Amino acid sequence: MQNYSVAEILQSDKFLQEVVVRGWVRTFRSNRFIALNDGSTIRNVQCVIDFENTPEDVLKRITTGAALEIKGTLAESMGSGQNVEVQVTELTVLGDSSPEEYPIQPKKHSMEFLRENAHLRVRTNTFSAVMRVRSALSFAIHKYFTENGFYNFHAPIITGSDAEGAGEMFSVSTLDKKNPPLNDQGEIDFKEDFFGKETNLTVSGQLEAETYAMALGKVYTFGPTFRAENSNTSRHLAEFWMIEPEMAFYDLDANMDLAEDFIKSILGYILDHCQEDLEFLEKRLLDEEKRKPMAERSDMPLREKLRFIIDNNFKRVTYTEAIEILRNSKPNKKKKFKFPIDAWGADLQSEHERYLVEKHFKAPVILFDYPANIKAFYMRLNDDGKTVRAMDVLFPGIGEIVGGSQREERLDVLREKIKALGIDEKELWWYLDLRKFGTAVHSGFGLGFERMVQFATGMGNIRDVIPYPRTPQNAEF
Ligand code: 4AD
């Protein structure tokens, strides 16, 4: 007898075939019908037992969460919602699950409760669907870049450079916390630390990716990044995964073209390959929306939202144009924004980004040419001397999903910027070398993976699209 996954069984029409299937009990009804799930699909296979010939002590052990091995015969199902079921000939309980103790019962649990049980929440329909879509998106990303001539570059996770400036960093040290070695100034002497210098977890693989783009042409990173910001929002994690392509000889326009094509491609992939999971998540989202006040409801079903991104050209708008739109907008005039926009130079908040996307343009937006002083030092200065070739991709419901730029390739201009910021040139000697030896126009961007998974699955909180979220005051598991 051959082993089959639940997904394989449900697709099969080979009635009378003998099969072996293993999985976990979702429900057990009328001492007869076991709904078995093995993670291969959102659907369960119905396994029907002959309870008269099943010993009482075995029946008692068929409880929600228990692991079973079932041998049986494929049969046409009389039940609704499935074509095929398994008529059980032999049942083995591989692992018991105490009904008194197992937290994931077949009923609605709150998201908070499931977060507290993150090691088991993936056994629910919602979380298994989200995690399968997450996995498919990850594959689609590698597929897209591989098929488009990019090399996957593994950026270091421990970094000795803290010049990126993208956020507060987590330090990495093996020094004795209670009694660290001190230097002559009474400060911690990192020369004695593991790496002989102060090191941190990376906030971004970009600077290192630039070095590889300037040799391999087109590279991308896809790895964890860490930010010690105290942001308790539904869009921030302290540990998140970022995809950062970096391309030699690409200017900002080519960078925007790539970002748009890439995003459309990966969303197209999951629409084609995750139909059942997306259908389930769409229904779930509709239910959730119904519970919201009318004004906050989104009337677009999930898959329509994904198609909307694929079918529409992203609107490309300069920061300066966006500020004009926001300044003259109703919520600004009526003082509805938490952060009113009154002058050019203001940093945009999520409420402004979402207004532009959801209310004004009603389309995904790429904002570009931001004021230099609100963006990172490495972005290429425009001829006006006050804006840089930065771009942010803004999405409905999410706000910023991608941040990127054309990089400053001119040694003298970059040096000036570094100096003005008070950064020691010595710290960035290797980064400056790129501008000394064969410098060229180059660009890249960073896509926050979890924000994309959030968009693709319609989940309201970023903590529910990563297996084990790391947020302020929370690193359980
Ligand atoms: O805009 P950011 O900070 O850009 C960079 O780090 C650049 N080095 C990228 C590059 O040009 N190679 O971050 C990029 C994206 C954001 O648009 C957002 O989607 C995501 O990373 N992001 C976060 N996601 C979850 N939690 C956080 N705390 C995030 N911070 C940024």
Side-chain angles (χ1 to χ4, degrees):
M1 256 192 254
Q2 212 184 323
N3 288 334
Y4 286 92
S5 69
V6 171
E8 285 166 337
I9 288 180
L10 292 175
Q11 276 159 19
S12 174
D13 52 7
K14 292 188 189 130
F15 301 132
L16 299 180
Q17 188 178 7
E18 298 291 308
V19 295
V20 179
V21 58
R22 300 184 188 116
W24 294 270
V25 177
R26 282 295 173 83
T27 57
F28 182 37
R29 281 188 299 118
S30 317
N31 261 353
R32 258 201 104 178
F33 303 107
I34 302 168
L36 197 75
N37 190 283
D38 67 352
S40 60
T41 161
I42 186 121
R43 292 192 289 152
N44 305 324
V45 65
Q46 173 158 284
C47 303
V48 187
I49 55 172
D50 172 7
F51 71 94
E52 279 166 5
N53 291 317
T54 309
E56 184 70 18
D57 60 321
V58 173
L59 284 177
K60 269 200 203 137
R61 294 172 64 201
I62 308 173
T63 56
T64 299
L68 305 184
E69 179 178 88
I70 283 175
K71 292 183 181 153
T73 317
L74 280 194
E76 197 170 354
S77 177
M78 297 299 138
S80 63
Q82 71 226 346
N83 304 325
V84 64
E85 63 186 25
V86 176
Q87 304 280 359
V88 181
T89 49
E90 200 180 323
L91 182 148
T92 314
V93 179
L94 302 174
D96 291 284
S97 171
S98 154
E100 288 78 36
E101 289 175 64
Y102 185 54
I104 312 294
Q105 289 301 320
K107 63 168 195 175
K108 204 165 172 53
H109 293 290
S110 74
M111 285 302 186
E112 289 72 25
F113 175 83
L114 291 169
R115 262 171 234 148
E116 284 161 18
N117 288 283
H119 60 308
L120 297 172
R121 67 178 178 172
V122 70
R123 298 187 189 190
T124 64
N125 282 337
T126 299
F127 283 91
S128 63
V130 167
M131 292 308 157
R132 276 188 297 267
V133 173
R134 183 182 166 109
S135 172
L137 266 175
S138 165
F139 175 73
I141 289 164
H142 286 297
K143 179 173 181 293
Y144 178 87
F145 285 123
T146 305
E147 288 175 358
N148 283 280
F150 283 71
Y151 297 106
N152 187 195
F153 159 72
H154 296 131
I157 289 173
I158 296 174
T159 170
S161 110
D162 64 356
E164 155 94 4
E168 290 298 312
M169 302 181 102
F170 290 101
S171 71
V172 176
S173 171
T174 54
L175 291 179
D176 179 357
K177 284 198 191 73
K178 286 200 191 116
N179 190 20
L182 301 178
N183 61 20
D184 296 345
Q185 284 85 48
E187 295 159 344
I188 294 176
D189 188 2
F190 287 102
K191 284 207 189 83
E192 303 235 345
D193 205 345
F194 187 91
F195 295 107
K197 64 186 295 199
E198 206 172 342
T199 50
N200 295 296
L201 293 180
T202 187
V203 291
S204 154
Q206 177 201 321
L207 302 194
E208 290 88 353
E210 280 186 55
T211 64
Y212 265 58
M214 298 308 276
L216 296 178
K218 296 197 283 186
V219 297
Y220 73 102
T221 70
F222 187 166
T225 50
F226 307 86
R227 298 193 185 176
E229 295 157 273
N230 201 5
S231 307
N232 264 306
T233 79
S234 59
R235 301 177 317 121
H236 285 91
L237 291 165
E239 176 181 293
F240 64 99
W241 288 66
M242 187 154 48
I243 297 99
E244 296 184 273
E246 192 69 36
M247 301 75 62
F249 315 118
Y250 270 48
D251 63 9
L252 190 70
D253 287 325
N255 201 21
M256 291 198 251
D257 290 344
L258 176 76
E260 185 168 342
D261 187 56
F262 162 62
I263 288 172
K264 289 179 171 177
S265 162
I266 60 174
L267 291 179
Y269 181 88
I270 57 159
L271 272 175
D272 288 344
H273 293 85
C274 303
Q275 290 173 23
E276 285 179 350
D277 286 324
L278 290 177
E279 191 184 335
F280 171 84
L281 291 166
E282 182 169 287
K283 282 200 195 114
R284 184 198 160 270
L285 190 60
L286 283 175
D287 277 354
E288 200 171 74
E289 292 289 323
K290 275 189 210 141
R291 273 180 264 126
K292 285 188 187 163
M294 266 307 216
E296 287 172 31
R297 281 188 202 169
S298 155
D299 43 13
M300 228 192 242
L302 179 63
R303 283 172 296 178
E304 223 172 282
K305 267 190 216 165
L306 306 188
R307 267 183 229 111
F308 176 79
I309 300 285
I310 295 172
D311 294 341
N312 279 287
N313 289 332
F314 292 12
K315 288 268 178 318
R316 299 184 186 189
V317 185
T318 65
Y319 166 90
T320 305
E321 287 168 285
I323 284 289
E324 274 316 296
I325 293 166
L326 288 167
R327 241 201 333 210
N328 296 317
S329 70
K330 250 197 213 158
N332 200 49
K333 284 186 176 155
K334 290 191 170 171
K335 306 213 177 327
K336 287 270 164 67
F337 284 141
K338 199 165 152 217
F339 299 90
I341 298 282
D342 38 42
W344 191 92
D347 205 354
L348 299 187
Q349 306 294 327
S350 155
E351 58 179 345
H352 309 126
E353 295 168 346
R354 290 187 58 182
Y355 174 83
L356 291 169
V357 175
E358 290 162 33
K359 299 280 184 291
H360 188 83
F361 289 107
K362 297 190 169 57
V365 172
I366 309 184
L367 283 192
F368 65 99
D369 284 352
Y370 280 75
N373 58 351
I374 59 168
K375 288 290 182 187
F377 75 92
Y378 50 69
M379 299 190 178
R380 193 184 198 279
L381 193 64
N382 278 314
D383 292 343
D384 63 12
K386 59 178 195 171
T387 60
V388 287
R389 304 244 77 192
M391 64 166 209
D392 281 357
V393 179
L394 314 180
F395 257 34
I398 301 275
E400 185 200 322
I401 196 156
V402 162
S405 66
Q406 185 175 321
R407 318 304 189 191
E408 185 56 77
E409 84 285 12
R410 298 163 296 186
L411 182 63
D412 50 338
V413 182
L414 192 58
R415 270 203 168 126
E416 277 303 310
K417 280 262 203 88
I418 289 174
K419 200 164 140 202
L421 284 172
I423 302 172
D424 188 352
E425 253 192 37
K426 278 195 229 119
E427 262 191 53
L428 284 170
W429 65 273
W430 52 275
Y431 190 68
L432 289 166
D433 263 5
L434 296 183
R435 280 76 184 166
K436 283 188 203 158
F437 309 123
T439 193
V441 166
H442 63 290
S443 298
F445 62 82
L447 168 74
F449 186 51
E450 283 74 21
R451 290 199 188 165
M452 182 52 88
V453 181
Q454 241 190 307
F455 181 75
T457 57
M459 297 298 279
N461 195 318
I462 199 162
R463 295 165 198 219
D464 300 328
V465 299
I466 186 162
Y468 296 104
R470 302 292 181 238
T471 50
Q473 299 296 311
N474 171 37
E476 191 64 45
F477 305 102

